Amino acid sequence: MAQPKQARARATRERVLRAAGAVFAENGYHRASVGQIMDRSNVTKGALYFHFASKEAMAAGVLARLQEPDTTELPAGPVRLQTLIMLVNGYAAPPLTDPVLRGALRLVGEPEFEGCAWQERLHLTITGLLTEAAQARELLSHVAPADTAELIVTVLAGLHRFAPEPRDREGVSDRVTSMWRHVLPSIAIPALIPALDLKQRPPGATEPGEQPSETSRPFGSLPPSVAS
């Protein structure tokens, strides 16, 4: 009998976490309430407080979804900058089917959670990818990987903190694409830029019925001195 009870308890905890993630993603930390989360999860007050003693505890549970940024499931293509783009795009506009991740990414963009360990780990991961890109001669000689990584992490935090419509996944995606349009000409060798797909997301990050992005040449309208 213990196993069915444990399974039900895990299912209830996950239901609360998904509800909390959705409410945090939509309202931010301060405007979210325990009542909203309880209504969204459709669990009793007792069941909710059995797993989480407070809104702070629920936020901690949601943030726990952000573990070490994982690049192992990204395609091991020869262009490290494309891997970087996929990684960042996945965090900029996470799947609507993963409310916990969406809530966690909204939380890390708020003042109470700035400087959390996940941001430090993401900075290290991006620095590593940029360092590999530099070793592969994908970057201009003046680029400092750690400084560029700090810029990208800061932009990600700002996207989640100030996005006017948290549910507008495509709007956030468009903004991060705009970031790439501004950043890449400053760091990447010109010959590489036309081959990069700025909208590519990690495998499995597309929604049901959504078509994966096709590789495009998004810099085609740039002056030849930059795009050639």
Side-chain angles (χ1 to χ4, degrees):
M1 294 297 293
Q3 288 184 346
K5 287 183 179 180
Q6 291 174 354
R8 285 196 299 271
R10 287 194 298 269
T12 299
R13 186 179 189 278
E14 181 64 18
R15 191 189 311 169
V16 173
L17 276 179
R18 290 179 65 83
V23 172
F24 288 141
E26 294 168 10
N27 301 322
Y29 181 73
H30 286 293
R31 291 195 296 122
S33 70
V34 173
Q36 291 170 335
I37 295 170
M38 186 169 63
D39 291 343
R40 183 72 64 94
S41 63
N42 196 29
V43 301
T44 66
K45 186 175 183 179
L48 185 146
Y49 280 110
F50 175 80
H51 293 284
F52 301 99
S54 63
K55 185 172 77 169
E56 291 84 353
M58 283 182 270
V62 169
L63 285 168
R65 179 64 59 90
L66 291 174
Q67 302 299 326
E68 187 76 26
D70 186 10
T71 61
T72 59
E73 295 186 0
L74 298 177
V79 180
R80 301 311 289 161
L81 279 179
Q82 189 64 65
T83 301
L84 171 63
I85 289 169
M86 280 191 288
L87 175 73
V88 173
N89 288 356
Y91 283 122
L96 295 172
T97 52
D98 192 344
V100 183
L101 179 58
R102 293 180 62 82
L105 290 170
R106 176 71 184 270
L107 290 176
V108 297
E110 299 197 354
E112 293 81 1
F113 305 100
E114 285 180 349
C116 70
W118 175 78
Q119 288 176 316
E120 296 176 5
R121 294 195 297 268
L122 182 60
H123 180 272
L124 288 174
T125 299
I126 293 176
T127 299
L129 287 172
L130 287 168
T131 299
E132 292 176 11
Q135 293 169 347
R137 299 185 178 181
E138 297 175 11
L139 302 185
L140 299 172
S141 60
H142 69 271
V143 175
D147 292 345
T148 303
E150 183 176 359
L151 171 64
I152 293 171
V153 172
T154 300
V155 171
L156 269 179
L159 282 172
H160 290 287
R161 182 175 179 183
F162 297 110
E165 296 291 340
R167 293 186 181 185
D168 185 6
R169 181 169 181 255
E170 290 307 316
V172 174
S173 179
D174 288 342
R175 291 183 180 202
V176 79
T177 298
S178 179
M179 177 198 74
W180 291 127
R181 289 180 182 275
H182 286 81
V183 169
L184 287 172
S186 299
I187 67 171
I189 60 172
L192 178 61
I193 291 175
L196 296 173
D197 180 0
L198 307 192
K199 292 183 176 291
Q200 190 173 13
R201 296 171 183 161
T206 54
E207 305 297 342
E210 179 185 4
Q211 294 298 317
S213 65
E214 296 180 357
T215 300
S216 58
R217 295 182 178 272
F219 280 91
S221 60
L222 288 179
S225 59
V226 176
S228 61

